[in-house]
């Protein structure tokens, strides 16, 4: 299934994409795509519904983030060897973990906004997933049982905040709009091989990134098992898995994002998203 959240920010409703590509409202089955409602029992109830009897959503509403209010938004750093090379970093011996603020997430086609004082805004096309079943000290073999679905994430980054100031990466990864996710949450049964999906990203129509999940240093099952050694993963928690080469940081000279740029990215079977970069708006 392809599950979505649609409507104005803060008022999104859950839906699914039918065979004609239309949105069907599923709020009679689950109130939202969040937390425990992403668990196996609720996903099975959605799958058992007669799609043609579900209310058809009129028009072409805004798509919100495909997961609501994650408790954790965890990211994996330097998880493609070509990206590690372009940044001058060594290939890590084990997954590098950092956090993105959960309230950095936004819809897949929402604007990306410069934070105040930003000078080095960058993009990162990634495959992400959401936990559907509590995971603590799980094995790699059992990891798939804990995943509710997969989706696209743009791990938007402010490189000066991330690298050139003291402290951890989190501050360069967590501004509002730094986590466009979606358009869809795709359940595992729809994906033949999550370890062999092409991903790409364009800026103003020019290809910047082109990669494949087969080149992940640490695969998704490894990530679930590894992270669950250090924290309990709850339903609704998001993990985004790292980006291939082609980010602005790795270019000479870097082509940092600027206001007015349009970023488009996609992954096989997971759709695509398009965001416009806009100037800082705030007090």
């Amino acid at each position: 299934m392809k599950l979505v959240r649609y409507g104005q920010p803060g008022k999104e409703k859950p839906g699914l994409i039918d065979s004609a590509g239309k949105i069907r409202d599923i709020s009679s089955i689950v109130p939202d795509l969040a937390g425990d409602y992403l668990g196996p029992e609720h996903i099975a109830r959605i799958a058992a519904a007669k799609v043609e009897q579900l209310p058809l959503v009129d028009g072409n509403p805004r798509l919100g983030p495909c997961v609501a209010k994650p408790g954790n938004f965890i990211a994996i750093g330097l998880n493609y060897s070509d990206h590690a090379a372009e940044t001058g970093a060594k290939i890590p011996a084990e997954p590098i973990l950092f956090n993105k603020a959960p309230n950095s997430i936004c819809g897949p086609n929402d604007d990306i906004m410069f934070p105040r004082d930003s000078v080095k805004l960058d993009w990162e096309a990634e495959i992400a997933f959401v936990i559907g079943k509590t995971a603590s000290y799980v094995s790699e073999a059992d990891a798939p049982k804990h995943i509710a679905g997969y989706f696209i994430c743009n791990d938007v980054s402010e490189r000066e905040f991330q690298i050139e100031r003291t402290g951890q990466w989190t501050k360069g990864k967590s501004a509002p709009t730094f986590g466009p996710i979606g358009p869809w949450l795709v359940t595992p049964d729809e994906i033949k091989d999550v370890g062999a999906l092409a991903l790409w990203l364009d800026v103003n129509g020019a290809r910047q990134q082109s990669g494949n999940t087969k080149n992940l240093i640490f695969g998704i099952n490894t990530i679930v098992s590894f992270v669950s050694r250090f924290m309990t993963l709850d339903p609704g928690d998001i993990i985004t898995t790292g980006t291939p080469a082609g980010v602005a940081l790795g270019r000479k000279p870097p082509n940092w994002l600027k206001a007015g740029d349009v970023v488009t990215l996609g992954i096989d079977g997971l759709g695509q998203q398009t965001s416009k970069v806009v100037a800082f708006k705030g007090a």
Side-chain angles (χ1 to χ4, degrees):
M1 296 182 292
K2 295 181 176 68
L3 304 177
V4 298
R5 299 176 67 250
Y6 66 95
Q8 293 305 305
K11 298 180 180 179
E12 294 95 344
K13 293 183 177 181
L16 63 77
I17 304 297
D18 68 16
S19 59
K22 301 294 185 180
I23 300 174
R24 299 278 180 163
D25 185 278
I26 58 171
S27 57
S28 62
I29 306 173
V30 292
D32 208 345
L33 299 176
D36 290 338
Y37 293 109
L38 291 164
E41 177 184 349
H42 294 286
I43 295 296
R45 288 179 59 211
I46 298 169
K50 295 182 178 180
V51 175
E52 67 280 2
Q53 296 180 5
L54 294 170
L56 186 64
V57 177
D58 292 332
N60 187 29
R62 167 190 174 269
L63 295 181
C66 58
V67 175
K69 299 179 179 178
N72 285 299
F73 190 178
I74 299 162
I76 309 298
L78 303 175
N79 201 22
Y80 287 78
S81 57
D82 56 357
H83 176 55
E86 73 175 345
T87 63
K90 294 181 180 179
I91 294 176
E94 62 182 30
I96 295 172
L97 308 184
F98 61 92
N99 285 86
K100 291 175 72 74
N103 62 2
S104 70
I105 70 169
C106 63
N109 304 312
D110 290 348
D111 291 341
I112 294 170
M113 184 178 67
F114 275 89
R116 179 186 286 176
D117 302 325
S118 171
V119 292
K120 296 182 178 180
L121 193 65
D122 206 348
W123 59 82
E124 294 192 6
E126 306 192 3
I127 184 170
F129 61 90
V130 63
I131 296 296
K133 180 182 177 182
T134 299
S136 180
Y137 297 102
V138 302
S139 67
E140 290 189 28
D142 284 340
K145 300 175 184 177
H146 298 266
I147 297 173
Y150 303 93
F151 47 92
I152 301 168
C153 175
N154 186 356
D155 177 17
V156 182
S157 307
E158 211 301 335
R159 300 301 189 185
E160 189 204 29
F161 297 178
Q162 176 191 355
I163 298 170
E164 299 177 34
R165 298 188 180 184
T166 59
Q168 299 181 349
W169 289 3
T170 299
K171 64 184 177 297
K173 298 282 192 170
S174 295
T177 74
F178 271 28
I181 60 171
W184 315 308
L185 166 62
V186 181
T187 52
D189 58 290
E190 291 249 335
I191 302 173
K192 183 177 180 180
D193 184 0
V194 74
L197 301 178
L199 64 163
W200 54 270
L201 182 145
D202 295 346
V203 177
N204 300 328
R207 185 59 44 94
Q208 305 294 320
Q209 290 187 279
S210 182
N212 195 291
T213 57
K214 67 184 179 182
N215 296 321
L216 283 164
I217 296 170
F218 304 104
I220 288 171
N221 294 344
T222 299
I223 290 169
V224 173
S225 179
F226 181 81
V227 176
S228 76
R229 298 181 203 172
F230 302 101
M231 66 183 76
T232 297
L233 295 168
D234 292 321
D237 285 351
I238 292 172
I239 301 180
T240 189
T241 63
T243 197
V247 299
L249 176 67
R251 298 180 180 273
K252 296 180 174 52
N255 53 334
W256 307 116
L257 290 169
K258 59 186 182 301
D261 284 345
V262 176
V263 181
T264 305
L265 56 154
I267 301 179
D268 285 351
L270 302 184
Q272 70 177 52
Q273 51 177 251
T274 298
S275 300
K276 183 177 180 180
V277 180
V278 300
F280 174 75
K281 300 174 184 176

